[in-house]
Amino acid sequence: MTETTKKTVQPNKQQLLNRLKRIEGQVRGVHQMIENDRYCVDILHQISAIQSAMNKVSLALLEDHTHHCVVKAIKGQDGEAAIQELMSVMKTMTK
């Protein structure tokens, strides 16, 4: 995983953090389910819910990025690089 030094203000930061806290709780719940030898199908349902929730966080962040960072780059004549970066992220997300 590579990190860049670019930073931005997340317009929906608190919503994203709240969702992630909820997901964190779900992951802890799955951990307990496994420790308590719960039925595999029940655990798999919870894992599916976690994956769905993470997809929603990803899409929300992607939407914010597109509406703010990409639009700003396009207006600032750096649109091609921003679009290439966006497409790279999309390819990674759909693997």
Side-chain angles (χ1 to χ4, degrees):
M1 180 195 302
T2 61
E3 282 190 41
T4 63
T5 58
K6 295 178 185 178
K7 292 188 179 198
T8 187
V9 174
Q10 297 299 329
N12 298 307
K13 183 177 184 175
Q14 195 57 51
Q15 288 175 314
L16 292 172
L17 291 173
N18 290 343
R19 283 184 180 204
L20 289 170
K21 285 179 187 176
R22 205 171 312 123
I23 293 166
E24 187 177 3
Q26 288 176 296
V27 172
R28 280 194 303 272
V30 167
H31 186 270
Q32 286 181 328
M33 291 174 81
I34 292 172
E35 280 186 341
N36 296 330
D37 298 320
R38 293 281 303 271
Y39 185 52
C40 296
V41 173
D42 293 340
I43 297 169
L44 290 167
H45 283 298
Q46 289 303 311
I47 291 171
S48 178
I50 292 166
Q51 289 171 327
S52 177
M54 283 301 297
N55 286 340
K56 288 179 183 176
V57 169
S58 294
L59 288 174
L61 193 54
L62 183 64
E63 184 175 359
D64 287 346
H65 176 68
T66 303
H67 284 291
H68 301 288
C69 301
V70 175
V71 167
K72 181 179 176 183
I74 290 170
K75 289 179 179 177
Q77 305 303 315
D78 197 20
E80 188 60 37
I83 290 169
Q84 286 179 359
E85 181 181 53
L86 178 62
M87 293 310 300
S88 175
V89 169
M90 290 297 298
K91 289 175 186 173
T92 300
M93 288 177 63
T94 57
K95 282 185 180 179

